[in-house]
């Protein structure tokens, strides 16, 4: 028995309730009855159709209405398709549109009696909603400017068409997998689609002078994909992909829904054993990995005008939190046809490109009302912001999320004007992580927190340091359970440091890698934002504790605690704590003896509790001195 068969047998002695539901009927039988389901209304809707089968076709029952997820491969919409989606939103969906991180569209507030009419209207212009939910191969993402950008090496559109032809709207593949399956394929140098964040990732690579793709497998929320050490040529992608789907279909777990993604199978059997099984299914071996070529986050960092290879321009329209409308989509599509080819490209970061604008038409396009409406969001804080649905439209949401993200970005814009930079702030309304907060420069995961008076309020877990460029790296938790009203100030101090110390044109990801993460522990950075919040927002002292340009604490927490304490003493009193310090220890023959309330005596505006914290951090006696920030942060809670 193979290792995959052993793992499958061990994990599948009992199947989950969804698998039992899937056995009740064939999804296509439900699809054939959509008109009668619509006519019967909510009273005639069966539990299994509502909970599962309608989701195979993108229809999600929200209790009083439906959300419809529209499949948009690689985010590419023709002018006719864009206008039809907009018309459907206007007529049936309260004029509301969400752009998602899978480069597709969600329509909301659809009434059950209209669902068949909506699907038919979309089908007329070649739009499908098949397999956009539950246990299916989901929308395939790629570079939104693939085929037209200067850094696009392989045009992946034909590849995506071939892959979809194998499973899309095929009865044998509808609802056939153990769990949802996300795919990304990147033929460009810039990582514009979170390429390491999918179940299956084909990443631009070079092997012995031949361009193709290195394969990475098994991402999920909080975990980036693992290197499969395989290189597939353009003509081999379809063979590898279908063998992968078949292997996952056969051996994927069907017991615990929370642990049925491909990641968990790989965790148990190992990537190499799984890939060997894929090769056996494909009837061929694939070459070892070549050199991964992803080099940048954005080839036009700081600008939403992007010159295409054909001499025309793509222009990015910033859509805050991906919240759009049918009315604005029609307006934009009409302007796109007047000044460009008429086609639109949806992006992973929930924005829209108008493509093929002639250079001579740029000024005219930028003078249109639809451009002006969204141009105010063309800044560092909105450009790369992502936010999934929150409590208003998602039953899993813990916080409103989209409004929170917009409010945070607007606050930061008013506080810090940063030129020539890039920061990715991603918001997830709950631990499911649909806002991909885990790979953000600064990530937010919705939670409940307590304010200073002990009241339960909307909050976030604050993350820092995710990477998506040359490597895939999850962010680390900087703070747990911060009220959102407080979190915005923590972010403000991080970005002020970025503004003060970044190099010309340096992205926050590069800055965090070069400076923050290289010089300070995450515990020190958490203390840094917290103490500034206390000094300014809580105590109103009007002083800023700044990080050193060239710190010498070597990311050693005990050194950082002592050094930060010395800096706070000087900042708040104007005096030195010790006459002399060598190797992060006071020169004891000259040591200054102080009491716990010394800082308060020298500066009456400083509370005695903060004075005591500084005493703990700088105590003469190493045995009683605070050595870790967790001890200090506990004491700060008393302020």
């Amino acid at each position: 028995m193979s290792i995959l068969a052993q793992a499958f047998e061990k994990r599948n002695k009992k199947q989950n309730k969804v698998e039992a539901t899937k056995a009740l009927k064939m999804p296509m039988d439900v699809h054939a009855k959509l008109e009668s389901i619509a006519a019967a209304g909510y009273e005639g809707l069966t539990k299994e159709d509502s909970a599962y089968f309608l989701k195979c076709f993108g229809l999600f029952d929200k209790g009083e209405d439906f959300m419809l997820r529209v499949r948009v491969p690689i985010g590419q919409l023709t002018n006719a398709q864009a206008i039809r989606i907009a018309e459907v939103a206007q007529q049936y969906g309260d004029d509301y549109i969400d752009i998602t991180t899978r480069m597709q569209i969600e329509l909301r507030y659809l009434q059950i009696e209209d669902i068949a009419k909506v699907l038919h209207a979309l089908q007329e212009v070649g739009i499908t909603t098949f397999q956009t939910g539950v246990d299916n191969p989901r929308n395939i993402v790629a570079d939104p400017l693939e085929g037209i950008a200067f850094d696009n090496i392989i045009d992946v559109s034909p590849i995506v068409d071939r892959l979809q032809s194998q499973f899309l709207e095929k009865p044998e593949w509808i609802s056939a997998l153990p769990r949802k399956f996300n795919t990304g394929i990147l033929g460009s140098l810039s990582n514009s689609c979170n390429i390491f964040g999918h179940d299956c990732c084909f990443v631009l690579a070079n092997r012995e002078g031949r361009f193709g793709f290195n394969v990475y497998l098994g991402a999920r929320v909080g975990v980036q994909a693992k290197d499969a050490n395989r290189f597939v040529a353009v003509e081999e992608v379809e063979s590898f992909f279908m063998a992968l789907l078949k292997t996952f279909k056969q051996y994927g777990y069907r017991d615990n829904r929370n642990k049925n993604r491909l990641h968990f199978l790989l965790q148990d059997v190992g990537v190499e054993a799984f890939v060997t099984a894929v090769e056996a299914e494909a009837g061929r071996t694939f070459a070892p990995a070549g050199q991964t070529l992803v080099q940048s986050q954005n080839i036009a960092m700081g600008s939403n005008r992007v010159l295409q290879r054909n001499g025309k321009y793509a222009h990015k329209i910033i859509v805050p939190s991906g919240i759009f409308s049918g009315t604005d989509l029609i307006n934009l599509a009409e302007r796109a046809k007047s000044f460009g080819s008429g086609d639109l490209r949806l992006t992973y970061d929930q924005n829209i490109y108008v493509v093929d604008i002639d250079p001579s038409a740029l000024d005219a396009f930028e003078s249109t009302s639809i451009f002006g409406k969204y141009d105010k969001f063309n800044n560092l804080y909105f450009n790369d912001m992502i936010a999934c649905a929150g409590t208003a439209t998602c039953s899993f949401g813990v916080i409103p999320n989209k409004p929170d993200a917009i409010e945070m970005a607007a606050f930061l814009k008013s506080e810090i004007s940063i030129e020539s930079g890039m920061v990715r702030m991603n918001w997830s309304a709950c631990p499911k992580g649909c806002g991909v907060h885990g790979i953000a420069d600064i990530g937010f995961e919705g939670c409940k927190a307590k304010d200073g008076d002990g009241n339960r309020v909307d909050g976030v877990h604050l993350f820092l340091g995710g990477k998506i460029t040359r490597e895939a790296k999850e962010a680390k938790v900087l703070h747990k359970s911060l009220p959102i009203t407080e979190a915005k100030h923590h972010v403000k101090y991080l970005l002020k440091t970025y503004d003060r110390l970044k190099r010309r044109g340096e992205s926050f990801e590069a800055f965090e890698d070069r400076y923050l993460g290289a010089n300070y522990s995450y515990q020190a950075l958490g203390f840094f934002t917290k103490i500034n919040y206390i000094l300014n927002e809580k105590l109103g002292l009007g002083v800023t504790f700044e990080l050193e340009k060239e710190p010498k604490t070597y990311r050693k927490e005990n050194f950082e605690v002592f050094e930060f304490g010395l800096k706070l003493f000087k900042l708040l009193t104007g005096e030195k704590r010790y006459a002399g310090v060598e190797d992060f220890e006071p020169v004891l023959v000259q040591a200054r003896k102080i009491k716990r309330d010394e800082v308060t005596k020298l500066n009456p505006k400083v509370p005695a509790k903060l004075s005591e914290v500084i005493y703990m951090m700088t105590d003469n006696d190493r045995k009683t001195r605070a050595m870790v920030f967790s001890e200090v942060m506990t004491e700060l809670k008393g302020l």
Side-chain angles (χ1 to χ4, degrees):
M1 183 182 294
S2 72
I3 187 173
L4 271 73
Q6 290 174 355
F8 178 83
E9 184 175 299
K10 182 178 180 181
R11 277 287 304 270
N12 287 276
K13 298 183 185 303
K14 182 179 180 181
Q15 293 192 336
N16 61 61
K17 293 180 180 179
V18 172
E19 290 297 326
T21 299
K22 289 160 70 172
L24 295 176
K25 59 183 79 172
M26 297 300 293
M28 288 305 292
D29 291 341
V30 177
H31 187 266
K33 298 176 182 177
L34 280 176
E35 289 190 5
S36 60
I37 289 172
Y42 267 109
E43 295 76 12
L45 188 61
T46 67
K47 182 179 179 180
E48 64 269 17
D49 288 349
S50 169
Y52 187 84
F53 288 105
L54 289 178
K55 294 177 183 178
C56 292
F57 313 109
L59 287 161
F60 291 75
D61 181 7
K62 296 298 181 179
E64 298 179 352
D65 49 44
F66 279 82
M67 180 269 280
L68 177 64
R69 190 173 291 151
V70 179
R71 194 178 196 102
V72 186
I74 321 180
Q76 296 183 7
L77 284 173
T78 66
N79 191 263
Q81 288 173 335
I83 289 176
R84 180 58 56 87
I85 289 171
E87 291 171 343
V88 167
Q90 285 182 321
Q91 185 173 355
Y92 301 106
D94 202 23
D95 202 28
Y96 185 92
I97 285 173
D98 269 332
I99 303 171
T100 78
T101 57
R102 294 214 67 78
M103 303 167 74
Q104 54 192 3
I105 278 174
E106 289 178 351
L107 302 174
R108 298 186 183 275
Y109 312 117
L110 305 178
Q111 299 304 305
I112 190 169
E113 61 266 24
D114 296 324
I115 58 175
K117 290 181 285 187
V118 166
L119 293 180
H120 179 70
L122 296 174
Q123 289 164 0
E124 286 182 334
V125 291
I127 294 174
T128 183
T129 62
F130 270 64
Q131 294 149 287
T132 55
V134 289
D135 303 343
N136 288 289
R138 304 291 187 86
N139 196 47
I140 299 175
V141 304
D143 181 352
L145 297 181
E146 70 88 34
I148 60 177
F150 270 97
D151 77 324
N152 181 233
I153 308 298
I154 300 174
D155 182 353
V156 303
S157 290
I159 302 174
V160 172
D161 289 343
R162 291 197 298 271
L163 297 185
Q164 288 198 148
S165 70
Q166 293 291 327
F167 67 81
L168 189 58
E169 300 191 9
K170 303 289 186 183
E172 66 271 23
W173 282 107
I174 299 172
S175 183
L177 298 177
R179 204 65 167 83
K180 70 176 181 180
F181 194 89
N182 291 335
T183 305
I185 179 166
L186 184 68
S188 301
L189 297 174
S190 53
N191 186 357
S192 50
C193 62
N194 181 26
I195 191 56
F196 298 105
H198 313 278
D199 293 275
C200 177
C201 319
F202 296 103
V203 187
L204 180 67
N206 179 307
R207 189 175 192 279
E208 298 177 352
R210 186 184 189 187
F211 292 115
F213 305 94
N214 284 343
V215 179
Y216 293 75
L217 298 173
R220 67 177 183 88
V221 173
V223 179
Q224 294 292 284
K226 297 177 175 63
D227 186 354
N229 190 27
R230 291 298 189 276
F231 174 88
V232 294
V234 170
E235 64 273 13
E236 295 175 324
V237 173
E238 185 178 348
S239 172
F240 184 93
F241 181 75
M242 291 311 299
L244 169 60
L245 282 187
K246 290 174 183 177
T247 304
F248 181 49
K249 177 181 177 181
Q250 181 175 356
Y251 295 108
Y253 301 145
R254 297 177 184 264
D255 54 349
N256 184 342
R257 292 285 290 178
N258 294 326
K259 295 184 177 181
N260 283 8
R261 291 284 294 274
L262 176 63
H263 165 84
F264 296 100
L265 178 58
L266 297 178
Q267 192 176 53
D268 289 346
V269 304
V271 175
E272 184 60 32
F274 180 81
V275 173
T276 299
V278 170
E279 290 178 323
E281 178 65 42
R284 64 198 301 178
T285 58
F286 298 92
Q291 178 187 4
T292 298
L293 297 180
V294 178
Q295 295 183 21
S296 65
Q297 293 173 317
N298 188 325
I299 61 170
M301 187 174 76
S303 174
N304 288 324
R305 284 186 177 187
V306 183
L307 180 64
Q308 301 174 190
R309 288 194 305 224
N310 62 2
K312 297 184 178 183
Y313 278 84
H315 213 313
K316 193 176 185 180
I317 304 299
I318 304 303
V319 183
S321 293
I323 300 173
F324 211 47
S325 70
T327 299
D328 285 349
L329 183 55
I330 286 177
N331 196 335
L332 186 62
E334 290 174 345
R335 300 292 80 74
K337 194 168 185 177
S338 298
F339 299 103
S341 65
D343 294 344
L344 301 176
R345 305 281 186 100
L346 308 180
T347 74
Y348 149 76
D349 51 11
Q350 300 176 297
N351 298 309
I352 307 176
Y353 274 111
V354 176
V355 297
D356 293 319
I357 303 174
D358 192 271
S360 63
L362 276 172
D363 290 342
F365 173 70
E366 291 178 354
S367 68
T368 61
S369 60
I370 188 65
F371 179 88
K373 179 176 181 177
Y374 290 92
D375 188 45
K376 62 186 176 183
F377 302 111
N378 182 11
N379 60 66
L380 173 141
Y381 302 105
F382 283 98
N383 275 357
D384 299 282
M385 181 181 77
I386 290 173
C388 69
T391 51
T393 55
C394 178
S395 58
F396 296 106
V398 180
I399 61 174
N401 207 50
K402 284 179 180 282
D404 298 321
I406 292 171
E407 185 178 340
M408 172 83 77
F411 167 78
L412 294 170
K413 176 65 169 62
S414 69
E415 292 285 314
I416 324 157
S417 181
I418 299 177
E419 301 296 331
S420 184
M422 177 180 179
V423 60
R424 297 176 296 106
M425 293 188 289
N426 297 358
W427 289 72
S428 295
C430 77
K432 285 184 174 292
C434 295
V436 288
H437 63 277
I439 49 86
D441 293 326
I442 302 172
F444 308 85
E445 180 191 310
C447 67
K448 291 300 179 182
K450 289 186 178 180
D451 64 15
D453 298 322
N455 300 312
R456 187 175 167 86
V457 297
D458 289 340
V460 290
H461 303 312
L462 187 62
F463 292 74
L464 178 68
K467 301 285 186 293
I468 66 168
T469 303
R470 291 180 175 85
E471 63 173 342
K473 182 180 177 183
E474 288 289 328
K476 295 184 179 180
V477 177
L478 193 68
H479 289 288
K480 297 283 283 185
S481 304
L482 287 177
I484 295 177
T485 52
E486 177 182 337
K488 65 182 183 180
H489 296 288
H490 289 258
V491 177
K492 175 181 69 177
Y493 291 113
L494 287 171
L495 292 174
K496 280 188 172 183
T497 304
Y498 172 53
D499 187 37
R500 181 170 64 90
L501 298 177
K502 74 178 179 68
R503 293 171 177 169
R504 183 177 61 189
E506 186 175 37
S507 68
F508 190 93
E509 178 176 313
F511 173 73
E512 195 283 329
D513 196 44
R514 173 186 65 83
Y515 175 77
L516 291 178
N519 290 310
Y520 291 104
S521 68
Y522 279 84
Q523 292 81 1
L525 295 172
F527 176 84
F528 159 72
T529 63
K530 186 69 175 182
I531 197 65
N532 273 306
Y533 172 73
I534 290 171
L535 293 175
N536 293 283
E537 279 67 44
K538 292 197 75 173
L539 301 179
L541 297 180
V543 295
T544 301
F545 177 86
E546 293 186 340
L547 300 176
E548 296 288 342
K549 186 175 182 180
E550 297 181 355
K552 303 296 183 183
T553 47
Y554 314 110
R555 300 185 80 250
K556 293 185 179 293
E557 197 171 349
N558 58 323
F559 290 173
E560 292 171 330
V561 171
F562 185 65
E563 181 72 12
F564 281 20
L566 297 180
K567 283 172 61 69
L568 281 170
F569 191 94
K570 179 71 181 292
L571 181 67
L572 295 173
T573 68
E575 300 181 10
K576 286 186 175 182
R577 170 67 175 88
Y578 295 108
V581 174
E582 292 181 2
D583 296 327
F584 300 99
E585 288 295 328
V587 179
L588 294 179
V589 294
Q590 305 174 38
R592 176 177 182 174
K593 304 282 187 181
I594 67 168
K595 295 184 178 180
R596 292 179 178 271
D597 62 351
E598 186 78 11
V599 178
T600 302
K601 288 180 179 178
L602 294 172
N603 183 353
K605 294 181 180 180
V606 176
K609 188 66 175 178
L610 180 54
S611 178
E612 184 174 349
V613 167
I614 295 172
Y615 178 91
M616 291 171 55
M617 298 171 74
T618 62
D619 195 343
N620 293 10
D621 189 346
R622 190 173 183 180
K623 294 179 181 178
T624 54
R625 185 188 311 156
M627 289 295 192
V628 292
F629 282 108
S630 58
E631 182 180 355
V632 178
M633 295 288 274
T634 299
E635 295 298 322
L636 287 177
K637 290 180 180 179
L639 285 171

